[in-house]
Amino acid sequence: MNDCLWAIVPAAGMGVRAGQGIPKQFAPVGGRPVLELTLSRLLDIPEVDGVVVPLPPGFHGYGGFLGSMGSPKRPVITLTGGATRHESVRLALREVPQDASWVAVHDAARPFVTKDLLYRVWTAAREHGAAICGVRLSDTVKKVRDGAGAEPACFVEATLDRDALVNVQTPQVFMAGLLKEAHREAEAKGWPCTDDSQLVETLGHPVAVVQGECTNLKITNPEDFDLAEAILARQGQVRGTHTVTGFGFDVHPLERGRKCVLGGVDIPSDTGLLGHSDADVLLHAIMDGILGALTKGDIGVWFPPGDPKYKDVSSLELMGNLWQLLRGEARVLHVDATVVAEAPKVSPYYSEIRGNIARALEMEPDRVSIKATTAERLGALGRQEGIAAFAVVTLARHDSKYRFGGTYSERCDS
């Protein structure tokens, strides 16, 4: 058996208990989305040959950036996940190469996984075929029964032996064939599960347990974000902000029969901008400026022009969605954009355009500058064959300095 190890990071859940307004895996900790921190940790482990990440519906655009975190030799593959965790893992298993002997499943909301922990679990899996990690309970554990509808809500039924119990964590490592078989059987027979090891247990295969780590926090509730920030500070994070600037440019041809949308405003015109989306060159230039400032590629990576889901989509909607994914990393200080067009006249719509941009980027309209000029009848723009836009975007980016892959960890006593 070879040592090819792939990781699956199920990230398709909505995480509503975290109370962040967005799925918790996309909420920021230390200025970076939780999922990005988790993937950075895994990719810092040389033995991880690739990662598959199931995402929620509607987050396909974020997959382009996650893919850029990998490399041709160690890819990050994204896909739309299922309605449940085990369905997402089952779908992800289809993307794991056939020559992979081992699969590690790790929670998207556990951003503090260490090399040491993965090595311990994998070592046990090599011996037993399947292994998980867990920590001993420090609190007394009670089994309870529901009350009769009045206070108190429940009553103690029994006190359990905590020495026989552990709180289970991830990563969990399995022989690839074993995990695939467990998921096939679960799908055929409708087995319920809360983690992958339960499926392997139900299959009748023993699962080894190794010591987990107290700092291997699973972010679940709102207060967990404060704990995560504290762990990052303990591990050497330096926080603060610094100013970054991005430049964006876009140009689209004009065509009769198309709407002319600029800054999210439908401007009356005999011709409109041609493109896969609504071809709003102004917002495209601003989005590229934001992505440039944060060194996250361009809008073609996030919203591929050939993807049918973006056919004729509102660029204002795309910009709002993009900012919700990136807002934890920075805040927009200023936008200065110029539209180059012989026609139509843009100035009557400045106020509405500024308001649209300000709302999408969660900033004040007086920090948005929109200007328009002509090409003085020179070239294609001067002949009214197209419209172009330039944008300079200034952001205050949160500093994030991490020591990934170090030997630091805190472990609970047995």
Side-chain angles (χ1 to χ4, degrees):
M1 180 180 294
N2 65 37
D3 276 341
C4 182
L5 171 69
W6 272 64
I8 293 175
V9 180
M14 300 309 293
V16 294
R17 281 181 293 172
Q20 300 300 301
I22 57 174
K24 63 185 179 183
Q25 59 271 31
F26 302 108
V29 170
R32 298 177 72 187
V34 171
L35 178 56
E36 187 179 325
L37 293 176
T38 302
L39 287 182
S40 294
R41 288 277 178 126
L42 289 172
L43 291 170
D44 194 58
I45 301 173
E47 289 80 2
V48 174
D49 292 295
V51 184
V52 183
V53 186
L55 294 171
F59 282 79
H60 177 79
Y62 193 63
F65 171 67
L66 296 181
S68 71
M69 294 178 66
S71 67
K73 291 186 177 180
R74 303 178 69 216
V76 174
I77 300 171
T78 62
L79 67 151
T80 300
T84 63
R85 175 194 171 89
H86 71 266
E87 184 180 352
S88 291
V89 174
R90 177 174 57 81
L91 293 171
L93 282 168
R94 299 175 183 175
E95 303 295 329
V96 174
Q98 292 297 315
D99 63 349
S101 297
W102 303 98
V103 175
V105 182
H106 184 65
D107 296 328
R110 289 190 192 270
F112 304 114
V113 60
T114 64
K115 287 181 181 179
D116 289 348
L117 182 57
L118 178 62
Y119 291 164
R120 286 201 303 276
V121 180
W122 194 12
T123 298
R126 281 188 174 116
E127 182 175 352
H128 302 284
I132 63 176
C133 52
V135 294
R136 298 283 186 179
L137 278 65
S138 58
D139 296 321
T140 297
V141 181
K142 305 280 187 179
K143 181 180 180 183
V144 299
R145 57 182 170 82
D146 290 338
E151 294 293 337
C154 59
F155 294 87
V156 172
E157 186 172 296
T159 300
L160 303 181
D161 179 11
R162 70 184 183 190
D163 291 338
L165 301 172
V166 295
N167 283 322
V168 173
Q169 302 178 335
T170 64
Q172 301 182 356
V173 181
F174 310 92
M175 290 187 298
L178 174 64
L179 185 58
K180 291 177 181 178
E181 180 185 359
H183 274 273
R184 283 195 299 268
E185 289 293 303
E187 184 182 13
K189 299 176 180 178
W191 293 345
C193 77
T194 57
D195 71 352
D196 295 276
S197 67
Q198 186 176 358
L199 296 183
V200 174
E201 296 163 31
T202 307
L203 195 63
H205 194 283
V207 178
V209 183
V210 303
Q211 178 65 27
E213 298 178 354
C214 288
T215 51
N216 188 25
L217 170 71
K218 183 179 182 181
I219 297 175
T220 304
N221 300 305
E223 57 269 24
D224 294 333
F225 284 88
D226 292 332
L227 292 174
E229 294 279 359
I231 293 172
L232 282 179
R234 177 73 178 270
Q235 294 185 356
Q237 180 198 18
V238 178
R239 299 198 65 197
T241 61
H242 62 282
T243 302
V244 292
T245 302
F247 174 77
F249 168 77
D250 195 30
V251 61
H252 280 276
L254 286 164
E255 184 176 276
R256 292 191 175 276
R258 291 275 298 185
K259 290 183 177 181
C260 185
V261 182
L262 291 170
V265 178
D266 189 352
I267 299 177
S269 176
D270 293 334
T271 57
L273 292 162
L274 179 63
H276 187 65
S277 65
D278 63 7
D280 190 329
V281 290
L282 175 57
L283 297 188
H284 291 185
I286 293 171
M287 283 191 278
D288 261 355
I290 293 170
L291 292 169
L294 298 177
T295 62
K296 293 188 180 296
D298 57 40
I299 58 173
V301 172
W302 290 72
F303 308 112
D307 193 322
K309 72 173 61 176
Y310 302 123
K311 178 66 175 173
D312 297 325
V313 71
S314 163
S315 296
L316 186 61
E317 178 184 341
L318 291 182
M319 187 164 74
N321 292 340
L322 178 68
W323 184 245
Q324 288 305 307
L325 293 173
L326 300 176
R327 63 195 294 268
E329 299 193 36
R331 60 187 176 91
V332 183
L333 298 177
H334 190 262
V335 173
D336 183 20
T338 299
V339 176
V340 183
E342 298 294 322
K345 196 171 182 63
V346 181
S347 58
Y349 306 95
Y350 282 170
S351 179
E352 188 176 355
I353 290 172
R354 293 172 67 202
N356 286 343
I357 295 169
R359 282 189 294 273
L361 300 180
E362 301 176 313
M363 59 188 301
E364 295 299 320
D366 62 4
R367 293 177 178 267
V368 179
S369 170
I370 302 298
K371 307 183 297 297
T373 188
T374 70
E376 299 293 342
R377 301 188 181 278
L378 298 175
L381 298 180
R383 294 191 297 270
Q384 300 187 36
E385 295 175 11
I387 296 177
F390 301 83
V392 176
V393 184
T394 306
L395 300 94
R397 186 173 191 177
H398 305 306
D399 292 328
S400 298
K401 186 176 182 180
Y402 304 91
R403 296 185 303 174
F404 288 118
T407 58
Y408 170 82
S409 64
E410 290 182 4
R411 299 180 176 86
C412 292
D413 294 332
S414 299

